[in-house]
Amino acid sequence: MGLVLITSLGTGPNAKDLILQFIDFFCKTLFYNTHGREIKTAFHGFRLTDIYLITTTEASDSFKALQKDIEYEVSQGLFDSPPPNLHEISLGIEDVATFDDEEKARSIIHNKIQEISSHTDLIIASGGRKNMTQILVEAGMVYGCKGYLSITAPRGKERRDCTLDFNISWFPLKKMLESKQGFSDLHPETLSENFRSLYILPLSYIKRLQNSYIGREPLKASTELEWLKLLPKAELHCHLGGEVQPSLLKKIASHIEEEEALPLALAVQALYQSVFGRKPDEHANNDDGPIKIVSSLVQRMMGYEIPLKDYSKFLGDAAQISGLKPYQINACFISCCTEDQLNGLMWQGCQNNPISLEQYMAIGNLGGSSLLQTASAIRMTLEHLLKGAVEENVRYIEVRCSPENYTEGGLSAEQVMDILFQTAEDFCVNHGQIKVNFIIMATRHKDLELVKRHVNLAVAFAREQMGGKMGKPRVCGFDLAGDEEFRDFSEFRALLKPLHDSFVQITIHAGEVGADYRIRDAIHELSARRIGHGLKLVHNPLMMDYVRDAGIAVEMCPTSNSQTNGYRDFSTEGDSSTLTALGPEYPLKRYLHHGIEVTINTDNRGISRTTLSHEFLKAAQMTPGGLSRWEVLQLVKNGFKAAFLPLDEKNRLLREVDKEIFGIVLEEMG
């Protein structure tokens, strides 16, 4: 078997003699001390075929002299086996004396070792300068080598005939890595693996990551958010219809009103229907509460009474948002939750007053998803979502949508998807760092025929896009959401069978507010590969083991979970005005340390008034003692690992992100 040795060639008078010592070790029968003989025996059966020598312009003469010495010794028959071929790797500089010189040398050496190590067994050896040896060892550990070989001798006995005095050291790669890392010192309770590149860091760096926490001190939140924003991230649980924010709502509503030339009279009619769920009765008593509210709104907007007519609900929603001031828009949500809950949830980003899941969904339906009925509304909403994602370095996102719900304005579900695909593709052309896919979602408490249509739509697009252009936006999965108590999950088994037949990936909302057995049913009845929220999984240790061992990912959404479950916020302890300081403990860290592939997501960015970076910080604040930076990086990696992507695409993305994470950590560690 062939070996290749790479080292640097110095400029001193004895520089070439060191290289000859390595050649002697492999190509001559010489006497070494006991330790040297053991190492030589370890290489029995291997032949040194090539030596690559890193040289400066000053060392080029030494390289030529070395070639002549070897040619002479070959002609004299002094070798017991053929000597290796010599190759010069010139750095093109006189000396490695400055930072720029060293960076140039590092680039050349890394590229050469990457090339060599992919074709043969490589040995790193000591040669000239210590900084060159350091770069060689660094590159060998990154790109792969058999190990590090060193031959030294006491002063005055560096001669080739003093082999018994040579000190020969051999460090196989395994020993180098174990010595460098001290794997036994890594936290044993942390079962989830981190980015591969981090394990080649010095142990002191790893321990600094493990002992540096975020989410503990409110005064450091802005600095921690900046770090979180810097990290490349994946977003797996993000609803298009939940992208509801006051400025966006007003913009979309105004655009719809302008497109549809919506008269104010019809706007008031639609406003009434939207808020109260019925048409106004022109003959009703003026003391009737709803009539008073509408009369008051009409008076404020027009100053006089106008006739009321029928109009589409989504246009009514657009009219009410476009025509009313923020406090009046709030009034439209009073039917969904109390005013205190609304003020805290919708406009102030405060999660101190938990609401029910039904109320949470109603806010989304009324405020955002009900407007997605025109091509421009759909485009504006998706562009807004993706722009926010890019600004915080989201590299991969799966956007959930229910296309059949967006057809009130005359679009078909297929047209809705085409608009989404084209919008995402156009966006990615100008923002190449993000990849966008879509998950088609059905709601279990709505008509089963609607669920069936969404299943068929997911299957049709999954088949149509099979073998399509890599990186192009596509349907990557299916989701079943909504009220967990409305129907047993088993009732959906037959409906979802076409998804299984077409091998469409499935994620299921389960254990968000429902019991832990809903998670069991999502897995066994519906073959879920991911679980949305999964908050009640913590109540069933046996199922935690199963979810971990089966590689089923859990999509957690800290702010949304807090809004619907009132989880405790440890960063607000001591503040008696904060109700979430009294809630239950968020189970995320238990899942992570159990080895479950738990991920962090936003759920509904607009409803929860959040970003993915804020969600990581919120997760830390909801965890006793916060989350270490090492744990945060594990959660980041889980997001990419759990993506509904073909394995080759996923691995390529992971390698890119791994390299970037490594650079961020090195830059931070200085």
Side-chain angles (χ1 to χ4, degrees), residues 366-470:
L366 181 59
S369 59
S370 66
L371 296 187
L372 302 184
Q373 308 298 332
T374 69
S376 60
I378 293 168
R379 277 195 297 269
M380 290 167 66
T381 304
L382 181 58
E383 286 172 353
H384 189 274
L385 190 158
L386 296 181
K387 184 174 182 291
V390 165
E391 287 174 352
E392 54 170 338
N393 208 13
V394 173
R395 295 301 180 83
Y396 176 74
I397 187 168
E398 294 174 357
V399 180
R400 302 185 185 209
C401 59
S402 302
E404 291 284 354
N405 294 352
Y406 307 150
T407 57
E408 186 180 336
L411 295 171
S412 68
E414 290 77 11
Q415 287 174 320
V416 169
M417 290 308 304
D418 287 339
I419 292 166
L420 291 171
F421 291 141
Q422 191 60 56
T423 303
E425 189 171 356
D426 292 344
F427 187 89
C428 291
V429 167
N430 298 315
H431 304 83
Q433 71 269 38
I434 190 171
K435 176 176 175 54
V436 183
N437 279 337
F438 294 92
I439 292 177
I440 290 181
M441 186 186 74
T443 308
R444 51 186 154 239
H445 59 261
K446 292 188 177 180
D447 192 283
L448 289 179
E449 182 58 32
L450 191 58
V451 174
K452 183 178 180 180
R453 292 206 299 272
H454 277 124
V455 167
N456 292 339
L457 192 67
V459 169
F461 275 104
R463 288 178 175 172
E464 178 183 319
Q465 296 164 338
M466 189 179 302
K469 184 179 178 183
M470 186 178 296

Side-chain angles (χ1 to χ4, degrees), residues 250-479:
K250 293 279 288 182
K251 184 177 179 181
I252 292 173
S254 298
H255 198 80
I256 291 174
E257 190 172 34
E258 183 179 336
E259 281 185 321
E260 301 293 331
L262 186 62
L264 188 57
L266 300 181
V268 175
Q269 159 69 29
L271 170 62
Y272 190 107
Q273 283 187 263
S274 166
V275 176
F276 301 108
R278 58 184 175 84
K279 298 176 183 178
D281 184 352
E282 294 178 315
H283 305 292
N285 188 303
N286 285 337
D287 291 334
D288 182 57
I291 294 294
K292 277 188 174 182
I293 293 176
V294 171
S295 298
S296 174
L297 291 176
V298 170
Q299 181 67 31
R300 289 178 184 176
M301 289 188 287
M302 292 295 294
Y304 58 88
E305 195 169 338
I306 53 178
L308 303 178
K309 303 176 182 179
D310 287 338
Y311 217 77
S312 299
K313 181 181 181 303
F314 90 91
L315 292 174
D317 290 338
Q320 70 179 34
I321 293 171
S322 177
L324 302 179
K325 296 176 182 178
Y327 78 91
Q328 293 171 316
I329 297 175
N330 272 357
C332 297
F333 290 93
I334 295 300
S335 61
C336 299
C337 55
T338 69
E339 189 166 6
D340 286 343
Q341 288 170 332
L342 179 65
N343 289 336
L345 178 67
M346 236 357 236
W347 310 120
Q348 298 173 13
C350 175
Q351 290 82 45
N352 296 344
N353 209 345
I355 64 174
S356 70
L357 180 61
E358 182 181 6
Q359 291 171 320
Y360 186 91
M361 292 188 296
I363 292 172
N365 291 337
L366 181 59
S369 59
S370 66
L371 296 187
L372 302 184
Q373 308 298 332
T374 69
S376 60
I378 293 168
R379 277 195 297 269
M380 290 167 66
T381 304
L382 181 58
E383 286 172 353
H384 189 274
L385 190 158
L386 296 181
K387 184 174 182 291
V390 165
E391 287 174 352
E392 54 170 338
N393 208 13
V394 173
R395 295 301 180 83
Y396 176 74
I397 187 168
E398 294 174 357
V399 180
R400 302 185 185 209
C401 59
S402 302
E404 291 284 354
N405 294 352
Y406 307 150
T407 57
E408 186 180 336
L411 295 171
S412 68
E414 290 77 11
Q415 287 174 320
V416 169
M417 290 308 304
D418 287 339
I419 292 166
L420 291 171
F421 291 141
Q422 191 60 56
T423 303
E425 189 171 356
D426 292 344
F427 187 89
C428 291
V429 167
N430 298 315
H431 304 83
Q433 71 269 38
I434 190 171
K435 176 176 175 54
V436 183
N437 279 337
F438 294 92
I439 292 177
I440 290 181
M441 186 186 74
T443 308
R444 51 186 154 239
H445 59 261
K446 292 188 177 180
D447 192 283
L448 289 179
E449 182 58 32
L450 191 58
V451 174
K452 183 178 180 180
R453 292 206 299 272
H454 277 124
V455 167
N456 292 339
L457 192 67
V459 169
F461 275 104
R463 288 178 175 172
E464 178 183 319
Q465 296 164 338
M466 189 179 302
K469 184 179 178 183
M470 186 178 296
K472 202 170 183 180
R474 59 177 178 260
V475 171
C476 66
F478 180 86
D479 176 31

